Amino acid sequence: MIYHLLYPLHTSISAFNVFRYITFRTIYASLTAFFICFILGPWMIRQLAALQVGQYVRDDGPETHLKKAGTPTMGGCLIIVGVAAATLLWADLTNIYIWILLLSLSGFGLIGFIDDYLMQVKKRSKGLTARGKMTFQILLALGIGTLVLIRPDFDTHVTIPFLKKVSPDLGWWYVPFAALVIVGASNAVNLTDGLDGLAIGPTTVAAVTYMIFAYVAGHVKIAEYLQINYVAGCGEVTIFCGALAGAGLGFLWFNAYPAQVFMGDTGSLSLGAALGALAVITKQEILLVLVGGLFVIEALSVIFQVSFFKVTKGKRIFRMAPLHHHFELKGWPEPKVIVRFWIIAIALALVSMSTLKLR
Ligand code: 57M
């Protein structure tokens, strides 16, 4: 809105020309989202506590988690408000990708919210059923995939990292493929969200990484120079990424160990879906496996653990899945697991950025 209100005035006030620049608006979108979360955080935590949205903690997990019982959850509402408000203020709202990203964030946020609400406020022990939750996620993701595909200039080739010449064209199959990326990312972030700051840290790192990819993919000359897919209108997506990173830091302020609030499914499902949608829109779909590599490692640890557990009728690969529980049970203090996992996430993000040159 600031863009739409102030930029047209540049003809009389030349300083307002600055609102044209994506880089400038991205910086201010990040700061806006950060301060919204930072300022609203204490109030929102009090509201969630008053609603008695206190986390129930399973007693079969690491013992150190028992003291976390009662921590307010559903803090994802704060992140969604921060990202949406900052994006609406600073982005060009005639850009369809901005609306697709806001739909992904808020739509998956709503599914998470309903689940959290049923579980935490209505005290229905399991919230939505796993099948119900998955059905809503798939339907919404298919809708998002279709919205992306019906853009006349959208390229249905899939970018394969490191391989410039291999790029299969999926045609209409791109829709289920995009849905798979979005639903997969959403659930992987959800599985990772089990220690203070563990999910929001790597989410912020991934947002910054996609900020760079969105900028270069939306810039004809840089995209051509780096020989990556040019996506018309993708530059504006940079602003959404900035807002996501800013809100991530704002939320981390309160979610840092020892956490005053958890994001709940409201946060984890929405953030994962937003990352999936970013991967699709920037045409770096497969690269999400590296950009969000930590989420993939956590999800794989669950898949391997559960499969092995079933096949061997009760034996385990890890002391407990997802992987962060394994290290906790090995005796690593929680902050050590968190910071080490962040380090891995940053390293993987750097490797993913190197694909801009290594191809
Ligand atoms: C949700 N939720 C946290 C919080 C957060 C298939 C199976 C592996 C699934 C997995 C699972 O349910 N994962 C998804 C993980 C929970 O956090 C809430 O959930 C939201 C995210 N959806 O925002 O509202 C707990 O995590 C801790 N937490 C923090 N800080 C945070 O900032 O400390 C969360 C956020 C919170 C808090 O303690 O209560 C969760 O872990 O429940 N299931 C599991 O993760 C379980 N693993 C398991 O059963 N493994 C088995 C295999 C064979 C399936 C095994 O390895 O033997 C573990 N989870 C727990 N206890 N809590 C096991 C025991």
Side-chain angles (χ1 to χ4, degrees):
M1 257 138 4
I2 289 182
Y3 170 71
H4 292 286
L5 287 175
L6 299 187
Y7 177 58
L9 301 180
H10 76 278
T11 43
S12 30
I13 308 170
S14 64
F16 285 4
N17 230 331
V18 76
F19 292 111
R20 200 184 87 200
Y21 296 105
I22 285 173
T23 43
F24 177 83
R25 287 184 286 125
T26 301
I27 292 169
Y28 278 90
S30 311
L31 289 171
T32 306
F34 172 76
F35 281 112
I36 288 175
C37 292
F38 183 74
I39 291 165
L40 288 186
W43 173 82
M44 178 118 17
I45 293 170
R46 279 197 303 276
Q47 300 306 310
L48 294 171
L51 261 178
Q52 295 189 317
V53 190
Q55 182 70 48
Y56 154 80
V57 176
R58 282 169 55 168
D59 56 11
D60 55 350
E63 232 180 86
T64 47
H65 282 250
L66 295 176
K67 63 178 187 297
K68 292 169 184 260
T71 307
T73 184
M74 291 167 84
C77 299
L78 187 65
I79 307 175
I80 296 174
V81 168
V83 178
T87 307
L88 292 174
L89 278 177
W90 293 100
D92 172 358
L93 301 181
T94 60
N95 184 296
I96 183 74
Y97 292 133
I98 290 294
W99 291 106
I100 294 176
L101 287 164
L102 288 176
L103 172 70
S104 311
L105 184 80
S106 51
F108 275 75
L110 182 65
I111 297 174
F113 182 88
I114 294 170
D115 192 38
D116 285 336
Y117 187 81
L118 291 176
M119 200 155 36
Q120 311 292 350
V121 183
K122 294 283 172 203
K123 312 290 177 202
R124 243 175 68 173
S125 64
K126 286 216 166 95
L128 287 173
T129 60
R131 183 177 291 192
K133 201 153 78 170
M134 187 53 89
T135 309
F136 286 131
Q137 287 183 327
I138 292 174
L139 289 177
L140 184 56
L142 286 172
I144 294 164
T146 310
L147 281 177
V148 173
L149 192 81
I150 55 174
R151 267 193 64 94
D153 52 352
F154 194 80
D155 184 358
T156 51
H157 288 85
V158 177
T159 313
I160 311 285
F162 302 109
L163 302 175
K164 194 162 46 190
K165 292 197 176 125
V166 186
S167 170
D169 185 2
L170 298 188
W172 272 98
W173 284 102
Y174 195 88
V175 173
F177 170 71
L180 180 74
V181 173
I182 293 168
V183 174
S186 180
N187 287 301
V189 174
N190 187 29
L191 287 173
T192 307
D193 189 28
L195 297 180
D196 300 350
L198 188 64
I200 198 65
T203 299
T204 306
V205 172
V208 173
T209 311
Y210 274 118
M211 192 193 299
I212 295 167
F213 278 105
Y215 188 78
V216 300
H219 195 294
V220 182
K221 286 194 181 137
I222 305 180
E224 192 186 278
Y225 170 69
L226 291 171
Q227 295 186 315
I228 62 164
N229 274 11
Y230 166 65
V231 185
C234 187
E236 208 60 31
V237 168
T238 315
I239 290 152
F240 177 88
C241 296
L244 196 56
L249 291 180
F251 179 74
L252 181 59
W253 190 275
F254 303 104
N255 183 231
Y257 180 86
Q260 295 159 263
V261 66
F262 298 153
M263 65 171 75
D265 278 21
T266 313
S268 57
L269 295 185
S270 59
L271 290 174
L275 291 181
L278 279 171
V280 168
I281 291 171
T282 55
K283 300 294 309 157
Q284 297 294 343
E285 312 91 342
I286 308 269
L287 196 68
L288 182 59
V289 173
L290 260 185
V291 178
L294 186 81
F295 303 128
V296 176
I297 294 170
E298 291 267 34
L300 285 178
S301 75
V302 170
I303 294 169
F304 288 141
Q305 178 91 328
V306 174
S307 316
F308 195 76
F309 189 85
K310 281 188 180 154
V311 171
T312 59
K313 301 201 171 39
K315 288 198 179 131
R316 290 180 167 81
I317 305 175
F318 305 107
R319 293 192 185 185
M320 190 182 279
L323 195 59
H324 51 262
H325 287 318
H326 171 79
F327 290 107
E328 276 195 293
L329 292 176
K330 275 185 78 168
W332 293 18
E334 182 174 343
K336 201 175 205 88
V337 182
I338 298 161
V339 175
R340 286 189 171 166
F341 277 36
W342 285 351
I343 294 170
I344 295 169
I346 294 169
L348 289 170
L350 289 173
V351 176
S352 68
M353 281 183 224
S354 75
T355 62
L356 284 172
K357 278 287 175 195
L358 291 178
R359 22 192 28 248

